[in-house]
Amino acid sequence: MTDARTADELIAEAAAAPVDGWGFEWLAGRATEERPPWGYARLVGERMARAHAALDVDTGGGEVLAETPDPPKVLVATEAWPPNVPVARRNLRPLGATVVAVAPDSALPFRDDAFDLVVSRHPVRTDWAETARVLRPGGTYLSQQIGAGTMRELSEAILGPLPPPDSRHPEDAVAAAEAAGLTVVDLRRATLRATFHDIGAVVWFLRKVVWTVPGFTVDRHRPALLALHRRITEQGPFAAQAHRFLLQATHP
């Protein structure tokens, strides 16, 4: 059932809501997204239990890493978006993890061969050479990544027709990993349905997942938002497709 409030009320509420961290609890009852079948948090937990030193790159607010039931002796996370850093430190303190604030696209501030496990969920950009450098021989990289064309239907609802995606293809990730000296041992893909029940959910999502509509602001994109509100009101929830892939690689 769609929300009976006006578009302006829904948009104003979503524009004022906090988007710190990487949790999506604010969308409860307003939007849904299917989860990949492989269970990323479970896979990470299994590998953390066997690791001595582990690194989580682009941890967000540490929400996924915080689910680790048996953390390794050395656990480090990096985050490049300043508002997320204190959230991650609070969430990961019970695990004894160290959260390191880094600059976007900077080299990893760790010595060579520092970790036997590196993980990353939805990294902004994977620096494959740096990942290989900090992994010990025999170490593992495990990452769930956003695939090409994710939420394209939503992007086009706001921006209009777009050219075919030229990045985030799983095959490119495999080639880059192997070029950096890693051996890809597992690659899985999933296409997932995402549903938005009101325009407030759309606005909040676009504020948080900023690459869906680069440069998004309520004022700049209000005409498209109002048109999408009318579509949801008249036709029901708006659906889009999210693409994910899981990549596991080892350092020979």
Side-chain angles (χ1 to χ4, degrees), residues 39-72:
Y40 176 76
R42 176 184 57 82
L43 294 176
V44 168
E46 292 173 354
R47 285 156 180 78
M48 287 285 176
R50 302 193 297 265
H52 172 73
L55 169 66
D56 183 26
V57 177
D58 289 350
T59 195
E63 293 86 357
V64 175
L65 188 60
E67 298 179 26
T68 302
D70 187 10

Side-chain angles (χ1 to χ4, degrees), residues 33-150:
E33 182 180 301
E34 294 177 329
R35 294 291 164 231
W38 47 74
Y40 176 76
R42 176 184 57 82
L43 294 176
V44 168
E46 292 173 354
R47 285 156 180 78
M48 287 285 176
R50 302 193 297 265
H52 172 73
L55 169 66
D56 183 26
V57 177
D58 289 350
T59 195
E63 293 86 357
V64 175
L65 188 60
E67 298 179 26
T68 302
D70 187 10
K73 182 178 180 181
V74 177
L75 182 57
V76 182
T78 65
E79 177 55 30
W81 194 46
N84 277 347
V85 173
V87 178
R89 285 174 175 160
R90 181 173 64 250
N91 287 335
L92 297 177
R93 188 173 298 117
L95 273 62
T98 299
V99 178
V100 179
V102 296
D105 298 327
S106 63
L108 294 172
F110 310 109
R111 61 177 174 79
D112 295 359
D113 305 334
F115 303 99
D116 50 279
L117 175 65
V118 176
V119 301
S120 188
R121 178 180 180 270
H122 302 174
V124 176
R125 182 185 69 88
T126 302
D127 188 325
W128 294 103
E130 281 292 283
T131 300
R133 181 183 66 79
V134 301
L135 263 180
R136 295 170 181 166
T140 294
Y141 176 70
L142 179 69
S143 179
Q144 177 177 297
Q145 306 217 359
I146 297 169
T150 283

